[in-house]
Amino acid sequence: MINCASQMIIFEWGYALDSSAPQDVVYRGMEDYTKSLLEFEDRFATEKACLEYIRKLRWPEGFYCPRCENNKGWLTKRNLYHCEQCGLQTSLLADTVFQDTKKPLHLWFRAIWHVTSQKYGANALGLQRVLGLGSYWTAWAWLHKLRHAMVRPGRDRLSGVVEVDETYIGGKKPGKRGRGAAGKALVLIMAQEDKNRIGRIRLRQVPDASEDSLGFAIQEAVESGSTVRTDGWSSYGGLPRLGYRHKVVRGTADVGENLLPLAHRVAGLLKRWLLGTYHGAVRDYHLYYYLDEYTFRFNRRTSRSRGKLFYRLVQQATAIDPTPIKKIRHRT
Ligand SMILES: [Zn+2]
């Protein structure tokens, strides 16, 4: 259990020329992204250009009917794709983050550019200002929709050697393991080892530190057969039954020692990020989204271009279900 905020390491979202980090995502087709703000402004000045970009990302091999999987159709006067086989008329934006939006797409694109080009992360007030939105609420909702899109559907799980530990987020006093703590959220940190450095990470908010909760979160994020390194907390004892090789770093679970350096470091960075970017003002029931944003940024920290992050996020925004705002508010 990582319980103290020691060993804070100053970390920049450096987009260094380092392509050795494991790639999270493999996509079909050519990657097509703009390299600078100027190029971005030029390219996405019109709705038509934005639609064309989305079309290429969503249907890289041409139109594809979501109902009958046929690939022949035509565009109607109302800008709907008409399936030649089953007659379904579908919008390019149906089932994407942009579905039913009343705002122009180029504004959305600007929002995505802003979010991905911020070194640490974007907040709603900043986004509202940059886009000139009348309502803070709109900016807030957009940010949450985009955070939702940062989790790629069906993304691959961590593998190899993975360090796992829990940490508490929020609250002033340290929490006691296994008992929970008022005002605190328990987060499971999973960090894949990559030549003694941190490779990809996954973060999951868990209800408690029980065997069931931890086992379930690990199964969601780590491939079976991987080696999972933890401390001696008894709830990890069931990992071999779930198909993992379990390596216990030590027998006791004292607080504050750095025997799981990778997980410990990620916990420190995450807390620093939440504090620096959101001033710690993250509500417990929204933490899920911030963890996704952090994971997205962290796993692409060596990306060579911010335009590439933009490309990834637009791509993921076209590949997920739309998120009605009610779902965001009520998600726990
Ligand atoms: Zn069809």
Side-chain angles (χ1 to χ4, degrees):
M1 165 64 103
I2 306 154
N3 229 341
C4 62
S6 64
Q7 306 237 347
M8 287 298 195
I9 298 153
I10 295 178
F11 182 80
E12 302 263 304
W13 287 114
Y15 295 84
L17 286 165
D18 173 9
S19 57
S20 62
Q23 279 303 304
D24 204 11
V25 185
V26 179
Y27 289 112
R28 282 176 303 170
M30 286 285 286
E31 292 180 346
D32 172 15
Y33 53 90
T34 54
K35 291 173 187 68
S36 67
L37 177 61
L38 228 84
E39 207 180 302
F40 170 83
E41 303 259 358
D42 244 25
R43 177 157 182 193
F44 300 114
T46 65
E47 287 301 279
K48 200 176 159 205
C50 300
L51 276 169
E52 182 56 19
Y53 195 66
I54 292 174
R55 194 184 59 76
K56 274 196 196 151
L57 288 175
R58 189 165 186 198
W59 293 323
E61 279 136 37
F63 166 75
Y64 176 86
C65 173
R67 186 158 72 190
C68 73
E69 303 185 0
N70 162 54
N71 60 5
K72 288 208 175 72
W74 61 87
L75 197 59
T76 71
K77 280 182 187 154
R78 291 170 54 230
N79 257 338
L80 295 171
Y81 287 82
H82 185 105
C83 171
E84 187 188 88
Q85 188 163 291
C86 75
L88 178 75
Q89 293 199 334
T90 184
S91 151
L92 175 64
L93 305 182
D95 298 326
T96 73
V97 160
F98 314 109
Q99 177 175 321
D100 299 329
T101 185
K102 292 183 180 64
K103 301 275 189 205
L105 280 174
H106 67 84
L107 208 61
W108 270 102
F109 273 38
R110 273 163 188 271
I112 296 176
W113 183 267
H114 178 73
V115 166
T116 48
S117 62
Q118 293 300 295
K119 210 167 187 180
Y120 294 105
N123 59 47
L125 200 62
L127 185 65
Q128 187 193 358
R129 271 197 214 117
V130 167
L131 300 185
L133 291 169
S135 134
Y136 171 85
W137 170 242
T138 305
W140 187 93
W142 281 24
L143 271 181
H144 272 66
K145 284 182 184 210
L146 293 177
R147 285 192 189 105
H148 180 66
M150 286 177 183
V151 193
R152 192 166 58 91
R155 63 186 176 174
D156 48 346
R157 294 182 289 174
L158 304 181
S159 59
V161 177
V162 181
E163 231 172 66
V164 174
D165 204 354
E166 327 100 71
T167 191
Y168 277 116
I169 301 285
K172 287 198 171 66
K173 292 180 190 163
K176 283 213 167 163
R177 198 169 201 175
R179 290 186 209 162
K184 286 179 180 295
L186 192 61
V187 172
L188 194 65
I189 312 259
M190 293 165 272
Q192 184 175 311
E193 190 183 271
D194 179 31
K195 296 176 196 145
N196 291 324
R197 291 163 52 205
I198 306 170
R200 295 173 305 151
I201 62 165
R202 294 279 183 263
L203 305 169
R204 282 278 186 288
Q205 190 172 351
V206 286
D208 51 53
S210 68
E211 186 169 335
D212 281 354
S213 300
L214 299 182
F216 184 72
I218 291 170
Q219 278 184 300
E220 262 193 340
V222 183
E223 265 177 41
S224 79
S226 306
T227 299
V228 176
R229 207 153 58 203
T230 71
D231 61 23
W233 178 243
S234 60
S235 292
Y236 292 116
L239 285 176
R241 281 197 300 280
L242 299 176
Y244 297 102
R245 261 170 282 173
H246 184 206
K247 194 170 167 219
V248 180
V249 177
R250 61 195 162 122
T252 57
D254 290 335
V255 160
E257 282 182 65
N258 198 4
L259 292 163
L260 295 164
L262 306 182
H264 197 116
R265 188 164 171 216
V266 172
L269 295 170
L270 170 67
K271 285 176 190 181
R272 188 188 173 83
W273 178 75
L274 286 169
L275 216 62
T277 311
Y278 302 107
H279 310 290
V282 172
R283 294 283 183 86
D284 194 13
Y285 47 89
H286 290 142
L287 183 62
Y288 182 95
Y289 290 95
Y290 295 98
L291 297 180
D292 286 344
E293 176 177 0
Y294 188 78
T295 304
F296 178 85
R297 289 177 184 280
F298 190 93
N299 286 345
R300 289 161 186 81
R301 66 198 182 281
T302 54
S303 183
R304 270 165 287 182
S305 145
R306 299 200 179 179
K308 200 166 172 176
L309 292 187
F310 168 83
Y311 164 84
R312 289 280 185 243
L313 191 48
V314 178
Q315 187 166 45
Q316 290 179 202
T318 65
I320 67 153
D321 287 340
T323 314
I325 206 67
K326 260 192 249 158
K327 199 170 143 198
I328 290 175
R329 282 156 122 179
H330 295 144
R331 193 163 185 172
T332 53

